[in-house]
Amino acid sequence: MEPKTKLMLSGFAGLAGTVWIGLMATIASRQQQLVFNPIRVKEVDRPRSSGHRTRPVVLRSTDGTRLSGWLLSPVGLGRHPAVIYFGGRSEEVSWVARDAGTMFPGMTVLVMNYRGYGDSHGVPGERQMIEDGQMLFDWLAAHQQVDAARIAVVGRSLGSGVAVQLAAHRPVAALALITPYDSILAIAKRHFKPLPVSLLLKHRFESVKYAEKVAAPVLVLRAQTDDVVPHLHTDQLVSKLATLAQDEIVPDSDHYNIPYLPETQKRIAAFLRSRFFQMAAAPVLAASACVAQA
């Protein structure tokens, strides 16, 4: 090989190495921005549900971080079934209050912005978001107007990772997942194939590792067109869910518009109401059986 050719190949190799190292450094230093995209501006200026009493709430995480959101309570006395909603990567969740009458009819709803989103303080991170989710569940379960045995969790996209881990560690009554994935790590590997992403990525959200621990029935809603979470990544998660109840594609949906579509909201409402009704009816049937035996 001629010296000029060797020099040229050496230069190409050096350039490739520099690019590779640069990409690794970018992922390592900017993974916070790659995984999270905190939105401060409220999607709805004055969030209010037509079917609920709506009030802003501020809660403190276990480390004292201030989290802000809304508690939506059905009109009427007694203990109600409840829902906690976890949003996506670029989602400020005030819109949920606006649409709760359709999506969560007759249910108490707790919807809180992640750390760094909306009016919540702090910086988002996987460990912190999971701990916050567990705190929110425990707080809601202790609420005097909530039936602690009937608390469901709904997670969209990034929030599906929070929802799955919460359902694996708390007695969740039902789990609804909108455009869920197997893991952020798997998606990152797909986008950055030449790089050792597993050595660099801190926030992995490996839902597939927790799926088998979920005891509650699960609804999976996929977007008809989804370039962010391809169906292959949802397939991997679904294959590990022992309690999968429904796996559906919402017509005319994509990764961004799916939660706002009336069809999506009606499917979630129907799934949760069916589950809550079954749970409410079970004690009555058991009591009737005891009376009959006596």
Side-chain angles (χ1 to χ4, degrees):
M1 185 179 295
E2 296 182 3
K4 183 182 291 186
T5 302
K6 289 183 179 180
L7 184 61
M8 185 179 297
L9 291 176
S10 177
F12 283 144
L15 178 60
T18 301
V19 171
W20 189 81
I21 292 172
L23 286 172
M24 287 185 62
T26 298
I27 293 176
S29 63
R30 296 191 57 207
Q31 61 177 278
Q32 192 77 19
Q33 292 88 345
L34 292 171
V35 177
F36 310 105
N37 183 34
I39 303 298
R40 286 290 189 183
V41 179
K42 287 187 177 65
E43 191 163 332
V44 176
D45 289 336
R46 296 180 180 179
R48 184 165 298 279
S49 169
S50 59
H52 300 79
R53 293 189 297 269
T54 307
R55 70 179 180 91
V57 292
V58 175
L59 300 175
R60 295 283 179 177
S61 65
T62 53
D63 64 4
T65 301
R66 182 181 186 272
L67 304 178
S68 297
W70 295 267
L71 180 67
L72 316 174
S73 304
V75 177
L77 300 176
R79 294 179 180 271
H80 301 279
V83 180
I84 307 174
Y85 177 86
F86 296 103
R89 171 181 178 267
S90 303
E91 182 179 348
E92 192 283 324
V93 296
S94 58
W95 72 271
V96 176
R98 178 197 63 200
D99 293 2
T102 301
M103 192 157 48
F104 305 123
M107 309 169 200
T108 297
V109 184
L110 181 62
V111 53
M112 305 291 288
N113 275 308
Y114 298 133
R115 297 176 183 223
Y117 290 68
D119 291 331
S120 293
H121 294 181
V123 177
E126 180 179 6
R127 178 181 59 80
Q128 293 83 358
M129 289 163 69
I130 302 306
E131 291 177 354
D132 291 346
Q134 293 174 348
M135 180 275 293
L136 295 176
F137 182 94
D138 296 341
W139 182 88
L140 191 60
H143 197 282
Q144 61 182 358
Q145 293 183 326
V146 169
D147 181 352
R150 293 190 293 163
I151 299 178
V153 176
V154 177
R156 174 199 176 191
S157 192
L158 176 66
S160 70
V162 181
V164 168
Q165 290 196 45
L166 178 58
H169 293 101
R170 290 293 188 274
V172 168
L175 177 63
L177 303 175
I178 307 169
T179 61
Y181 49 81
D182 48 357
S183 74
I184 294 295
L185 176 60
I187 293 176
K189 284 181 175 180
R190 176 173 169 271
H191 283 289
F192 303 101
K193 291 181 180 178
L195 304 177
V197 176
S198 58
L199 300 178
L200 303 173
L201 192 63
K202 177 181 178 182
H203 310 287
R204 298 172 176 236
F205 289 96
E206 295 180 278
S207 297
V208 71
K209 289 187 176 182
Y210 297 91
E212 293 179 345
K213 298 180 181 179
V214 175
V218 183
L219 166 68
V220 170
L221 294 179
R222 309 177 188 226
Q224 184 172 346
T225 303
D226 198 333
D227 296 329
V228 179
V229 180
H231 288 186
L232 172 64
H233 288 283
T234 303
D235 292 340
Q236 296 301 316
L237 175 66
V238 165
S239 70
K240 298 294 184 179
L241 289 169
T243 54
L244 179 68
Q246 297 167 234
D247 181 5
E248 304 172 354
I249 296 176
V250 179
D252 302 318
S253 63
D254 59 38
H255 189 83
Y256 302 101
N257 71 5
I258 186 170
Y260 308 107
L261 298 178
E263 181 63 25
T264 300
Q265 297 180 5
K266 289 176 183 177
R267 292 188 189 206
I268 291 173
F271 171 71
L272 295 180
R273 292 176 75 171
S274 174
R275 174 58 177 164
F276 289 149
F277 177 79
Q278 290 174 11
M279 295 183 72
V284 175
L285 294 174
S288 299
C290 290
V291 171
Q293 291 175 2

